[in-house]
Amino acid sequence: MSKRRLPDNLSIDTLAIRAAELRTDEMSHSEALFLTSSFVYESAAQAAARFSGTEPGNIYSRFSNPTVRAFEERLASLEGAQQCVAFASGMAAINAVFMAHLKPGDHIVSSRSLFGTTQVLYDKYLSKFGIEVTLVDIADLAQWRAALRPQTKFLFVETPSNPLAEVADIKALADIGHSVGAKLIVDNCFCTPALQRPLELGADIIIHSATKYLDGQGRCLGGAALGRSEDMAEVYSYLRTTGATLSAFNAWVFLKGLETLTLRMKAHSANALALASWLQQQPGVQQVHYAGLADNRYHDLAARQQSAFGGVLSFTVVDSAGQGDRQAAWRFIDATELVSITANLGDVKSTITHPASTTHGRLAEQEKQRTGISENLIRLAVGLEGIEDIKADMRRGLVALGFSQ
Ligand SMILES: *Cc1c(COP(=O)(O)O)cnc(C)c1O
């Protein structure tokens, strides 16, 4: 196994392809896949030295595997992080950061617009351990400030949010958190480091669901937490002890996915912007949520902290009789013939979702209303198919709502 030393100051496009190259002794060009549960030693003494930590080296793939390590190092180089710890899923990464760093009585301030399962983690599990969460509106800095307590350890935000594409001011939130000694966690799943680097804006910890754009083709589950070495040491220890480990095979798939990440994110963003502008002009489309649109309330902020606007948008529909309800949304979705009806996103294949009955279906009615998850809202994760073909599919949805095209 060998690693090359690379020239300094490489661009993110190059790092996505070249950082942490990993070759077998036979000098494979593609990254080596170490599909093995454990590693052998030359002697009993070497085994003892590895276990005691006096000799570096691999022991057991629950906590050390060269392919997983290569994925961690490549992602860390893209985010500009000292340390990355990979996990079996994005949720495992989020849970590990909380479990590693929080104790009963601690407090989190979090944006209200969230990946649904993160919300369940707060309500059902963190609460069991006496960890309290205050939910605030993502863009209202006064609410974030007012929610702070002496016990606040973390601010948690997902930006842009899912599915309404609201944007948080990362630098402002980092300053608010740091003023009371709390750390800012950013779930960077929607932008990826190709479009947004939260650590450079002052965030302390980054979360990824590698399942989404890092893979990019909807094949594997995985996740990661990134940040300073001192913050990641406990997270790694928690992983080693509790075992939500990323499989080496999935890490290898993600290494391949990262190689096209910067190109894909540009292409996703271009397709999404073209589609959002087009949707805005269609009868039957009430409102389009996408920060790339010049009249979106988050446009300037997103343009400042992101290099493009990403691939996810959402919109509300009404039928030709003016009804904007669940039935209208489902009729639109069921009339599509190209895009996939699925809750996943970050795939080269476009996916269409009805958040109110799927990803956000577990939210109470009042929470749905507060977060703007209306019954006629449709989320589209715009893929890399030809843009005219995606538009034609959206037209089928509009025809089903009674609009002739
Ligand atoms: C999917 C997702 C997660 C959870 O990741 P899994 O890999 O499915 O566990 C967390 N945050 C966001 C924003 C996501 O989209």
Side-chain angles (χ1 to χ4, degrees), residues 342-364:
T342 173
N344 198 23
L345 60 92
D347 197 308
V348 293
K349 295 172 176 157
S350 295
T351 61
I352 196 164
T353 311
H354 182 244
S357 60
T358 60
T359 52
H360 294 68
R362 282 183 286 187
L363 291 188

Side-chain angles (χ1 to χ4, degrees), residues 59-319:
I59 299 174
Y60 185 53
S61 285
R62 175 165 16 88
F63 52 90
S64 65
N65 177 284
T67 309
V68 174
R69 191 75 210 118
F71 166 65
E72 290 170 334
E73 285 177 12
R74 187 172 291 177
L75 187 57
S77 84
L78 300 185
E79 289 284 14
Q82 286 176 354
Q83 195 73 41
C84 172
V85 184
F87 286 90
S89 70
M91 286 318 304
I94 296 174
N95 180 59
V97 168
F98 290 152
M99 285 297 141
H101 286 288
L102 298 179
K103 59 180 191 315
D106 283 346
H107 176 243
I108 299 169
V109 185
S110 170
S111 59
R112 174 169 281 116
S113 327
L114 277 179
F115 184 66
T117 313
T118 307
Q119 177 88 53
V120 178
L121 180 65
Y122 292 161
D123 294 347
K124 193 162 173 203
Y125 297 103
L126 293 190
S127 64
K128 268 210 313 204
F129 296 98
I131 296 161
E132 281 190 51
V133 183
T134 305
L135 298 178
V136 296
D137 290 346
I138 185 169
D140 187 343
L141 295 178
Q143 280 192 32
W144 286 89
R145 270 188 217 102
L148 295 174
R149 301 178 191 169
Q151 300 83 359
T152 305
K153 290 285 160 53
F154 285 130
L155 273 56
F156 187 99
V157 73
E158 217 175 88
T159 179
S161 73
N162 171 23
L164 294 177
E166 302 151 301
V167 180
D169 185 334
I170 294 175
K171 171 142 195 343
L173 290 186
D175 290 344
I176 290 171
H178 296 164
S179 72
V180 294
K183 290 180 175 170
L184 176 64
I185 305 174
V186 176
D187 182 331
N188 202 24
C189 176
F190 275 57
C191 274
T192 84
L195 304 186
Q196 170 172 278
R197 279 184 288 285
L199 298 182
E200 289 172 5
L201 297 165
D204 301 283
I205 292 173
I206 293 174
I207 295 293
H208 273 291
S209 167
T211 316
K212 314 290 168 51
Y213 289 106
L214 303 189
D215 174 355
Q217 294 180 55
R219 297 163 293 195
C220 292
L221 269 91
L226 301 99
R228 290 180 203 93
S229 303
E230 72 226 43
D231 289 333
M232 288 303 114
E234 263 315 299
V235 174
Y236 176 68
S237 167
Y238 184 82
L239 168 76
R240 178 174 177 151
T241 311
T242 57
T245 306
L246 179 64
S247 94
F249 180 79
N250 289 9
W252 183 85
V253 171
F254 295 147
L255 278 164
K256 295 287 121 192
L258 286 179
E259 291 174 357
T260 55
L261 178 70
T262 61
L263 272 180
R264 281 187 286 108
M265 292 315 291
K266 280 181 208 151
H268 278 293
S269 301
N271 260 5
L273 181 57
L275 195 70
S277 313
W278 178 84
L279 278 170
Q280 232 180 359
Q281 291 156 16
Q282 304 310 308
V285 175
Q286 231 176 9
Q287 197 183 359
V288 181
H289 302 281
Y290 186 66
L293 296 171
D295 59 1
N296 182 280
R297 66 182 276 217
Y298 302 104
H299 181 76
D300 292 345
L301 174 57
R304 246 190 352 262
Q305 71 183 16
Q306 302 171 205
S307 62
F309 301 100
V312 181
L313 57 84
S314 61
F315 54 99
T316 47
V317 292
V318 288
D319 67 17

